[in-house]
Amino acid sequence: GGGSAGGAAPGAKPGVEHKLEERLYSVLCCTVCLDLPKASVYQCTNGHLMCAGCFIHLLADARLKEEQATCPNCRCEISKSLCCRNLAVEKAVSELPSECGFCLKPFPRSILERHQKEDCQDRVTLCKYKRIGCPWQGPFHELTVHEGECGHPTKTGNELMEILDEMDQNHKKEMQLYNSIFNLLSFEKIGYTEVQFRPYRTDDFITRLYYETPRFTVLNQTWVLKARVNDSERNPNLSCKRTLSFQLILKSKVNSPMECSFLLLKGPYDDVKINPVIYHFAFTNENNETDYMPLPIIDSVECNKLLAAKNINLRLFIFQIQK
C-alpha cells in the first residue's frame, strides 16, 4: 500500500514526533488488515507481513476463484510452501504495549493475558458463594468486602433449594446443547470453513455499517454470510449495548430442499468469546436466505472487540440433515 509509515524527521520537535511504539505499530502490522497480528506472522518472498487469519483467507479466496494467491502489496505468488513465519516480528509484537481491558493500563502483549487473569485489581471476579446462587460480579479489589457482607451463606435450606433448582435447570439446558452438538457430529455430511466478515457501508443518505464474507464453498454448495450491528438501528454508535446479527445465504442452485443445522464459533486466530447456538433452516431455490439471527457473543465488550478489528474471523459449521 502507499503512504509513508516513517516517523518525524531527525530535526523535528519531540512534540511532533510519534512515540516509538506508534511508529513500530505501523511497521509491524499486517499489510492486509492493518492490525497488529495476534498469533503467527507470515511473510511473502519480498518480506511483506500478513497475520495468520489474513494469510489463510488469501489462500482460501484464491482457491475459490481458482487463481494463484498473490501478496496484496507486491503481487508475488504466495502459498504455504513459498511463505515462512517471521519469528522476529512475532516476538517484537509480543513486547509492544497493549491496553488492559479492565484497568486500561498498558502492558507488553506477552504478559497481558496473565495480568488480566491473575494480577489486575480491576479484573471482573465472581463471589465464592456463586455456587449457591450469589449473582455478584465486580472488580477484584471489591471482592473481599462483598464476600464479608454476602447474604447467601446465611440463607435457609429451603431458600437454597429454590436457587439450586433454578441452577439445575440452567445446567440441564447446557447439557441439551452439548448433546445436540455431539449428535450433529455423527452426521454423514458435515462441512466447516473459516469465514472472514469484511466491513462495508450502505449507499443510503446515512450510511450504515454492514459485514459480508466473500463467497465460500461448503458441502459442494456456494454460500455467503452477512452481518449487521444492532440490527441496523439508525445510529448504532449512539447505543452502549452492541449486538451483531448474521444471515446465511445459499448462492448456488439446489435440486431439492437442503435442510441444515449450522453454528458459528470463534476462529482459530481470534480470541472472541461466542456461545455455541445451533440454528436450523431448509434452503430452497425460492427461499435461500435465513432470517437475521443473533450472533451469540457473550457481551457488548466482546462485540466491541470484534467491531474494533478490521475483519471478523469466525468458523462456520454446516450439518446437512439426510432424509
Side-chain angles (χ1 to χ4, degrees), residues 7-288:
K13 296 186 184 101
V16 176
E17 192 174 350
H18 287 303
K19 281 184 183 169
L20 175 63
E21 284 117 48
E22 285 169 20
R23 301 210 309 280
L24 279 174
Y25 187 105
S26 59
V27 171
L28 300 174
C29 68
C30 165
T31 54
V32 184
C33 66
L34 307 179
D35 250 347
L36 273 185
K38 292 187 180 77
S40 319
V41 179
Y42 291 86
Q43 64 176 39
C44 77
T45 46
N46 291 323
H48 294 119
L49 304 174
M50 292 161 278
C51 68
C54 288
F55 176 58
I56 297 296
H57 275 283
L58 288 170
L59 299 185
D61 284 359
R63 191 174 301 133
L64 284 176
K65 295 173 189 161
E66 294 182 2
E67 294 170 359
Q68 169 61 49
T70 57
C71 166
N73 273 272
C74 63
R75 299 291 163 208
C76 75
E77 289 189 3
I78 58 170
S79 69
K80 283 193 171 170
S81 54
L82 289 170
C83 297
C84 62
R85 298 252 307 266
N86 188 321
L87 299 179
V89 168
E90 289 175 23
K91 286 196 173 81
V93 169
S94 78
E95 291 304 320
L96 277 178
S98 185
E99 218 174 60
C100 167
F102 304 116
C103 65
L104 308 181
K105 290 176 186 156
F107 289 89
R109 282 157 194 266
S110 53
I111 65 163
L112 181 63
E113 194 176 340
R114 201 192 79 199
H115 163 78
Q116 291 189 145
K117 275 186 181 164
E118 298 170 20
D119 303 330
C120 181
Q121 291 297 301
D122 290 332
R123 69 186 187 274
V124 175
T125 44
L126 302 171
C127 173
K128 69 180 175 189
Y129 300 115
K130 174 183 186 288
R131 297 177 66 172
I132 51 170
C134 176
W136 184 89
Q137 56 175 25
F140 177 75
H141 63 80
E142 291 177 12
L143 180 65
T144 317
V145 173
H146 164 76
E147 286 180 350
E149 299 168 349
C150 181
H152 275 71
T154 56
K155 284 189 184 296
T156 65
N158 282 338
E159 287 173 317
L160 287 178
M161 282 302 289
E162 279 177 32
I163 293 168
L164 292 172
D165 280 345
E166 198 179 315
M167 289 166 79
D168 279 348
Q169 289 301 320
N170 292 336
H171 180 63
K172 206 169 164 185
K173 277 184 204 154
E174 273 179 30
M175 285 311 295
Q176 280 169 344
L177 170 72
Y178 290 119
N179 288 335
S180 305
I181 291 174
F182 285 124
N183 183 33
L184 290 173
L185 289 173
S186 66
F187 277 27
E188 182 193 346
K189 294 194 173 179
I190 302 174
Y192 75 91
T193 185
E194 269 59 79
V195 289
Q196 187 174 61
F197 287 89
R198 297 172 182 172
Y200 298 95
R201 294 260 163 207
T202 58
D203 296 331
D204 309 341
F205 177 64
I206 296 178
T207 65
R208 290 196 184 94
L209 171 72
Y210 71 97
Y211 288 85
E212 196 168 313
T213 65
R215 290 183 175 210
F216 55 88
T217 303
V218 175
L219 298 176
N220 299 321
Q221 303 294 344
T222 308
W223 311 81
V224 162
L225 278 162
K226 290 185 176 180
R228 57 193 191 190
V229 185
N230 289 20
D231 262 334
S232 293
E233 63 181 50
R234 276 188 87 78
N235 291 313
N237 51 314
L238 302 179
S239 167
C240 297
K241 192 163 166 38
R242 296 277 158 80
T243 59
L244 273 166
S245 51
F246 75 98
Q247 175 187 46
L248 179 60
I249 302 163
L250 175 65
K251 284 294 188 182
S252 44
K253 296 285 177 224
V254 284
N255 299 325
S256 57
M258 186 175 177
E259 199 177 330
C260 299
S261 293
F262 56 95
L263 76 155
L264 277 172
L265 296 173
K266 80 181 192 74
Y269 311 111
D270 268 353
D271 56 357
V272 64
K273 296 179 182 71
I274 293 183
N275 291 318
V277 172
I278 303 164
Y279 297 100
H280 305 275
F281 194 76
F283 293 91
T284 62
N285 293 333
E286 298 72 42
N287 193 12
N288 65 338

